[in-house]
Amino acid sequence: QVQLVESGGGLVQPGGSLRLSCAASGSIFSIRAMGWYRQAPGEQRELVAAITNGDSTNYADSVKGRFAISRDTAKNTVYLQMNSLKPEDTAVYYCNGRVRPDPYRYLELWGQGTLVTVSS
């Protein structure tokens, strides 16, 4: 069974930084893409950043220049470095992965979510 486990959320002051990590574990043949979404109270879940197995990246306009997504292929882990955090970045952040457990199937997986609170 493949699962995504996130870590790194917490409380940070405006202007501060946090790094989120998401590790895929279990039987993994390959990973096509991984990304981060977030959902603030009363809002829809939205894409924050994504990275493909070819290292192409995509960012929401609201985080461009402040957030950076990266991955460690050997560890099946994706990171989200968040700098210059703003109160409006407060949300539950979810890891998403498009994973092949074998050559014949694709799974879209979600992590359990990690809360990021930006407040003074």
Side-chain angles (χ1 to χ4, degrees):
Q1 182 177 356
V2 183
Q3 60 179 353
L4 304 178
V5 179
E6 301 141 342
S7 60
L11 173 65
V12 63
Q13 292 187 342
S17 298
L18 277 177
R19 189 175 84 152
L20 305 182
S21 300
C22 173
S25 63
S27 177
I28 298 171
F29 175 75
S30 67
I31 297 177
R32 181 176 183 181
M34 294 184 77
W36 291 93
Y37 289 69
R38 67 186 180 188
Q39 188 167 18
E43 301 290 333
Q44 300 271 21
R45 189 174 297 191
E46 63 174 358
L47 174 69
V48 176
I51 186 167
T52 70
N53 58 2
D55 286 329
S56 295
T57 58
N58 184 35
Y59 294 93
D61 287 344
S62 59
V63 307
K64 283 180 181 176
R66 299 188 298 121
F67 291 11
I69 190 169
S70 62
R71 66 191 185 107
D72 185 329
T73 304
K75 295 181 179 180
N76 289 327
T77 299
V78 66
Y79 304 96
L80 184 68
Q81 179 66 44
M82 304 185 293
N83 300 323
S84 301
L85 282 159
K86 304 175 181 180
E88 51 263 44
D89 294 317
T90 295
V92 177
Y93 284 69
Y94 295 92
C95 179
N96 172 270
R98 296 177 185 176
V99 178
R100 273 186 164 173
D102 55 55
Y104 313 106
R105 294 182 296 152
Y106 266 114
L107 300 176
E108 181 163 15
L109 302 173
W110 293 91
Q112 78 281 7
T114 185
L115 177 62
V116 172
T117 304
V118 184
S119 175
S120 55

